[in-house]
Amino acid sequence: MQNIYFPDEEITINDLYFVCYMIERTARKLKQHNKYVVNALGKENLVHQLSVANVMHCKNPEEVVYEWTTQYNLQSGNFDITNVDKTLAEIIPTELQMGKVYQRLIVDTLQPGEDYADGILKIYNSWICEKIDNYNCSAFYEPSYYIARAFENGGF
């Protein structure tokens, strides 16, 4: 995927990772589902965020969350992803860990002709996002190839 501001530069997997991390961090801060944040941004703004990710990663993540919240008019909700059954989920994965899970899944499931923004929209709007974000089960702990195969097959 080409950077829209510097056409001779490629958007890297690390740029995708940063955007996935910020989606997760923003959604948790607002108590929203990741899907809400992704759809509020839309493809054009996702392409923008992917293109500036190599610069934005040096900013304070809380500042980026604030900027996204105000720029894209994101609203608070009542979904607390960290509200889990402590007997089933002793450890809740961090935003960074979940950003990596999503980054790998997007890369592993990209189809010819799709770019990272298409992959973000496809994955975060699919059934697998709900499974991965249910920390009472172990879907997010599965190896990345297994999660990608489950996505392709329509279930675990």
Side-chain angles (χ1 to χ4, degrees):
M1 180 176 180
Q2 296 303 120
N3 186 307
I4 60 173
Y5 303 110
F6 300 99
D8 57 330
E9 289 185 19
E10 286 280 325
I11 293 174
T12 68
I13 290 175
N14 286 334
D15 298 330
L16 174 61
Y17 173 43
F18 174 77
V19 171
C20 291
Y21 159 60
M22 289 312 305
I23 291 167
E24 185 76 30
R25 189 173 186 106
T26 303
R28 287 188 188 193
K29 178 81 172 182
L30 296 175
K31 296 201 180 304
Q32 290 281 8
H33 292 271
N34 291 329
K35 177 181 179 176
Y36 168 79
V37 175
V38 167
N39 291 331
L41 269 67
K43 180 163 182 178
E44 185 178 318
N45 290 318
L46 287 169
V47 170
H48 165 73
Q49 291 301 330
L50 288 161
S51 294
V52 299
N54 62 346
V55 175
M56 298 297 285
H57 78 271
C58 65
K59 290 182 97 171
N60 181 325
E62 285 299 315
E63 184 179 347
V64 176
V65 169
Y66 175 77
E67 288 174 4
W68 281 24
T69 302
T70 56
Q71 186 174 3
Y72 303 118
N73 195 29
L74 302 175
Q75 304 298 311
S76 293
N78 59 9
F79 173 69
D80 185 0
I81 197 166
T82 63
N83 185 15
V84 297
D85 182 341
K86 300 297 183 196
T87 61
L88 297 174
E90 294 177 13
I91 299 172
I92 296 171
T94 67
E95 293 101 336
L96 283 170
Q97 290 169 324
M98 291 308 297
K100 187 57 107 173
V101 168
Y102 279 106
Q103 174 257 309
R104 288 178 181 149
L105 179 58
I106 291 163
V107 169
D108 290 347
T109 59
L110 274 182
Q111 299 295 314
E114 287 183 332
D115 60 25
Y116 290 150
D118 294 324
I120 290 170
L121 288 163
K122 175 178 70 179
I123 293 300
Y124 283 103
N125 282 293
S126 76
W127 65 271
I128 202 158
C129 189
E130 224 174 278
K131 289 288 185 197
I132 292 171
D133 289 345
N134 178 358
Y135 299 154
N136 288 319
C137 72
S138 64
F140 63 92
Y141 277 125
E142 298 294 342
S144 57
Y145 71 87
Y146 186 78
I147 297 172
R149 189 169 8 157
F151 174 77
E152 297 294 340
N153 292 335
F156 281 93

